[in-house]
Amino acid sequence: MTRESFLNPVEDSVPKVDDEIAVGEDLDFQRRWWRFEKLVWTVFLIVIVCDLAGLFGRGWLAKAEASTPDRALIVDYERIERANTPSTMTLRFGPAAIRNGHVQFHVSDAVVRDLGAQRIAPQPSTSTPGRGGISYVVPVTAAPAAVQIQLQPAAPGRYTFKIQLADAAPITRRVLVLP
Amino acid sequence: MDTILRATAGYFILLLVVRVLARRAGSQMTLFEFVLVFLIGGVIILATLGPDRSVTNCTCAVIAVASLHRFVSWAKSRSPRIGAIVDGTPIVIVQGGEWREDVLKGMGVRREGVVAAARMHGIGSSSDIQYAVLERNGGITVMTRS
């Protein structure tokens, strides 16, 4: 393999153009660089398309929905989050979830600790820690009803959260938090 | 720790983006390019500092970026290959009075830009240009027929 001309120190050995002008040009290196630039711009274009589609969060592909079989609880969340960026998880309750004017649900610690739950709206009437999470009771008049949890993950990673209505099977999902 | 990592990522991302942009962004900066540089710089600052706007964090970020820059400068001085990757190499645009169209296209340089550089050298006609070299810093050196 020939030694690239730009490796030569800047002195009389600097490659001359037409044996006249000492420039130190290396057209082979430059052509390789142009190919690299094309590759980089292709990657940039892919990044933009992925971002527009929501593959890096905050978009169509990032939004997800999970529900219990009877749709008593529907969770709207983002499967791809970004660290230190606010987002909202919405819990929608059907008629089967409402008992005696209340809904009672349990969220795992991951929602608070890993996904960084900042606040819950409306304010629950009771919040009880235990069973690896927090149980909330929220007064509800009639279905449909919704509770919103404001999230702001502190650190990147892959986290599993659980949300469960009282006496029902839990909804378990994973969230990827990007840096 | 996070700040240092973010500053390192920000520095190299910025270095790559500026490097793959047209070389003339360096010395012949237009108002349009000023907007670009300030906007990119501002966005990188947000990502580097994160939610922590404390003096401690800002100081650490500044020191980290300065150290990285010093390190890259040292690496450039030790290795011409790294110098070529970071800064590029001079490239001849006009050779013996002939325009190198592939270089013009590849570098995104217009003939008008070269002629403008020639005027700054007191050369009135493009036919008088014997050699034109796009330098590492984005400047264009023009030589006439002797």
Side-chain angles (χ1 to χ4, degrees), chain A:
Chain A
M1 188 175 170
T2 58
R3 180 182 166 86
E4 284 92 346
S5 54
F6 65 75
L7 293 176
N8 298 330
V10 180
E11 49 191 40
D12 285 349
S13 61
V14 169
K16 291 183 177 179
V17 177
D18 299 339
D19 290 326
E20 201 172 357
I21 312 289
V23 176
E25 178 191 55
D26 188 331
L27 209 50
D28 288 340
F29 168 79
Q30 193 58 50
R31 289 199 173 105
R32 286 201 300 274
W33 182 262
W34 287 333
R35 284 197 294 274
F36 172 71
E37 276 187 358
K38 277 185 185 170
L39 180 71
V40 170
W41 284 111
T42 305
V43 171
F44 284 179
L45 187 66
I46 291 168
V47 167
I48 289 169
V49 170
C50 289
D51 191 41
L52 287 172
L55 207 62
F56 303 136
R58 313 288 293 177
W60 175 64
L61 284 176
K63 293 186 189 305
E65 182 187 285
S67 65
T68 54
D70 60 356
R71 295 188 72 79
L73 171 63
I74 301 166
V75 181
D76 296 319
Y77 67 103
E78 293 190 21
R79 60 168 73 90
I80 304 162
E81 297 261 7
R82 295 174 184 176
N84 298 309
T85 304
S87 68
T88 303
M89 177 185 283
T90 303
L91 280 54
R92 291 185 281 137
F93 301 101
I98 302 169
R99 291 179 190 171
N100 302 320
H102 290 87
V103 288
Q104 185 176 350
F105 61 95
H106 179 85
V107 300
S108 63
D109 270 341
V111 175
V112 178
R113 188 189 56 228
D114 301 325
L115 300 180
Q118 304 290 302
R119 65 188 183 91
I120 181 167
Q123 193 70 29
S125 55
T126 65
S127 310
T128 312
R131 293 195 294 127
I134 303 173
S135 294
Y136 294 105
V137 176
V138 178
V140 174
T141 53
V147 168
Q148 292 190 322
I149 304 173
Q150 302 292 327
L151 304 175
Q152 191 167 327
R158 195 163 189 207
Y159 306 113
T160 302
F161 73 88
K162 270 187 202 175
I163 297 181
Q164 182 176 19
L165 282 173
D167 305 323
I171 293 173
T172 305
R173 289 292 184 273
R174 278 184 171 178
V175 171
L176 177 67
V177 179
L178 298 177

Side-chain angles (χ1 to χ4, degrees), chain B residues 37-57:
Chain B
V37 167
F38 281 114
L39 189 58
I40 291 176
V43 170
I44 286 289
I45 285 169
L46 293 176
T48 301
L49 292 180
D52 185 350
R53 308 275 172 85
S54 64
V55 172
T56 306
N57 197 35

